[in-house]
Amino acid sequence: MTTTARRRMRSTGVSLGVTALMAAGLTGCATSPDYAAVCVDPQTDERVADDQCDDDRAYAGSGSGFFWYYLAASSRVPAVGSGVSGGSFNGSSLRGTVQRGGLPAAGGSSVKSTTKSGGFGGSSRGFGG
């Protein structure tokens, strides 16, 4: 094999490697979160403004305050002041990416369609099944 042929093969291999790395990087950055959290008063099960959840404490079934309530990507976003259902206060068992806050206060659409980081792909993860 000539030196020129080796250089071409090496150049092609490097180009393919760079292209594969760029594609992997773009795909990794463009995924939508699997879950999104809204701030909820567990005493009333009503959504409140996100700034009421000023820390990451998990709700353990008792106590007062406001806590993050996790909704799967396919869930409907409740409006602030509306009741929540179909999600969980337990964020420790979730497998996937989670976005805390940032969903529209007026609600109405699905978590997946209103998450801040959109792009290619997505997921239809849910709770309990």
Side-chain angles (χ1 to χ4, degrees), residues 12-27:
T12 301
V14 170
S15 296
L16 289 174
V18 169
T19 302
L21 286 173
M22 290 177 62
L26 289 173
T27 301

Side-chain angles (χ1 to χ4, degrees), residues 34-104:
D34 297 308
Y35 303 92
V38 294
C39 190
V40 170
D41 179 352
Q43 304 304 315
T44 62
D45 281 341
E46 287 185 1
R47 182 179 176 197
V48 298
D50 290 341
D51 60 358
Q52 298 295 321
C53 287
D54 57 356
D55 59 35
D56 296 340
R57 291 178 302 140
Y59 180 65
S62 63
S64 61
F66 303 104
F67 299 88
W68 292 110
Y69 185 83
Y70 300 93
L71 299 166
S74 60
S75 301
R76 191 152 184 85
V77 177
V80 171
S82 297
V84 296
S85 63
S88 173
F89 282 106
N90 183 4
S92 65
S93 64
L94 303 179
R95 300 290 176 254
T97 56
V98 177
Q99 173 186 317
R100 284 197 173 120
L103 297 176

Side-chain angles (χ1 to χ4, degrees), residues 1 3-17:
M1 189 177 291
T3 306
T4 305
R6 285 185 183 174
R7 284 186 189 156
R8 284 188 188 149
M9 289 179 65
R10 188 177 305 153
S11 177
T12 301
V14 170
S15 296
L16 289 174

